[in-house]
Amino acid sequence: MLRQRLNVTSRCDDKLAFSLMEARPYLRKIRIDRSDIKTEDVYPFSIPAIASLDEIDFHRDVTFIVGENGSGKSTLIEAIALAMGFGPEGGTKNVRIQTSNDLSSLHHHIKLEKSFKRPKDNYFLRAESFYNVATYMDTTQYLEGYGGKSLHARSHGEAFFSVLTDKLRGNGFYVFDEPEAALSPSRQMAALTAIHDLVRKESQFIIATHSPILMAYPNSKILMLSEEGISEVSYEETEHFIRHSALQIMLQRYYTCQKVAQVRF
């Protein structure tokens, strides 16, 4: 019995050591330090999912953060981005613009557990403030990374897609807040291919989304925020899947055409 216990312990230690030797996820885990939180009766700790949050382990490829409006998705994704060194309105870590003072304090209480390896590329795509990032790029004339053309000279969807296909180069850490806001269903499916290509280039994504199309990506973890807290769920357990069950047929056909393996269906 003791030998069996020792063997189990050894296997667990070996598994932990192996996971620590892997480059990804670049952001392995976050923990909430509550030692200096004065009160949890005010925003953002008044949000049930945030109030119950202790720690989150991230998937090496893609982690989706989902939930209804007001559940805390954007609050959490903003805090993760700020804790990782991004500016509040998005872009690369070199973009430092802030047009409002409505940031939550959550990022001050986040402790990060990172990989031994740093990503070579970083980007925070935030739908609600992407216009401001586009204006900043025009002002600085730094357009080479976006195909050499002003983001304002394109449709909202084309500008978003340019980030995926022109700006992001792989070996990166990418945080997206509701990227589907500017993308049609067909563009969202094309975005899945772009995300998959970047994952194959050693990238990690953390994505807050309402899109049942995006969260169908197979190599991922889905974290559901609700009144009960934060829980990991399967794609089929999400309300998005239940509401849009016909999507499974469309996505099945799409993945078959794109030859992306191990689809959930």
Side-chain angles (χ1 to χ4, degrees), residues 4-258:
Q4 289 178 339
R5 290 177 179 174
L6 289 174
N7 286 340
V8 169
T9 301
S10 177
R11 287 196 298 271
C12 291
D13 289 343
D14 289 344
K15 184 176 181 180
L16 175 61
F18 180 76
S19 67
L20 291 176
M21 287 189 293
E22 291 187 314
R24 287 185 297 148
Y26 300 114
L27 178 58
R28 298 185 185 280
K29 176 183 293 191
I30 62 168
R31 296 186 178 88
I32 303 300
D33 181 2
R34 299 182 180 274
S35 61
D36 57 349
I37 298 175
K38 296 179 180 180
T39 177
E40 297 197 2
D41 295 329
V42 297
Y43 177 80
F45 300 102
S46 57
I47 300 172
I50 303 300
S52 64
L53 175 60
D54 290 319
E55 62 182 40
I56 293 176
D57 293 296
F58 295 103
H59 193 279
R60 69 189 303 273
D61 296 337
V62 181
T63 301
F64 290 108
I65 298 174
V66 307
E68 297 299 327
N69 290 330
S71 62
K73 296 188 309 300
S74 290
T75 300
L76 179 57
I77 208 82
E78 172 192 272
I80 292 169
L82 291 176
M84 285 294 287
F86 292 101
E89 301 205 11
T92 68
K93 291 185 177 181
N94 295 323
V95 176
R96 295 289 163 179
I97 53 176
Q98 184 174 348
T99 58
S100 63
N101 295 312
D102 59 351
L103 300 178
S104 83
S105 62
L106 183 58
H107 63 284
H108 294 303
H109 306 284
I110 286 181
K111 302 298 182 184
L112 306 172
E113 183 178 311
K114 300 180 184 179
S115 167
F116 65 89
K117 184 176 180 179
R118 293 184 179 182
K120 295 180 180 179
D121 195 26
N122 296 272
Y123 204 92
F124 177 26
L125 177 62
R126 192 171 199 179
E128 67 178 24
S129 55
F130 185 67
Y131 180 92
N132 299 333
V133 174
T135 299
Y136 177 84
M137 291 302 146
D138 276 357
T139 302
T140 59
Q141 287 296 298
Y142 184 70
L143 300 174
E144 182 180 351
Y146 297 91
K149 183 180 178 182
S150 170
L151 294 170
H152 285 311
R154 319 175 200 195
S155 70
H156 202 31
E158 288 173 337
F160 265 48
F161 209 73
S162 177
V163 173
L164 271 172
T165 57
D166 296 324
K167 183 62 178 172
L168 308 187
R169 300 303 179 96
N171 287 283
F173 175 75
Y174 306 124
V175 182
F176 287 3
D177 185 14
E178 300 188 2
E180 71 276 8
L183 301 176
S184 67
S186 61
R187 278 287 194 177
Q188 289 178 45
M189 288 191 286
L192 285 175
T193 298
I195 289 170
H196 185 63
D197 288 342
L198 288 163
V199 165
R200 289 192 297 180
K201 295 177 182 176
E202 301 297 317
S203 298
Q204 177 189 3
F205 287 83
I206 301 175
I207 303 174
T209 184
H210 287 285
S211 170
I213 296 175
L214 293 182
M215 69 179 71
Y217 185 77
N219 302 318
S220 65
K221 171 188 282 190
I222 300 176
L223 300 176
M224 174 72 77
L225 277 63
S226 69
E227 292 289 327
E228 285 71 44
I230 301 178
S231 58
E232 183 176 351
V233 298
S234 70
Y235 178 54
E236 292 80 6
E237 291 175 309
T238 65
E239 291 186 11
H240 310 77
F241 177 84
I242 295 170
R243 292 174 184 171
H244 301 86
S245 58
L247 272 173
Q248 60 182 303
I249 299 173
M250 180 174 65
L251 288 168
Q252 177 76 62
R253 291 172 179 172
Y254 176 77
Y255 276 120
T256 299
C257 293
Q258 294 297 323

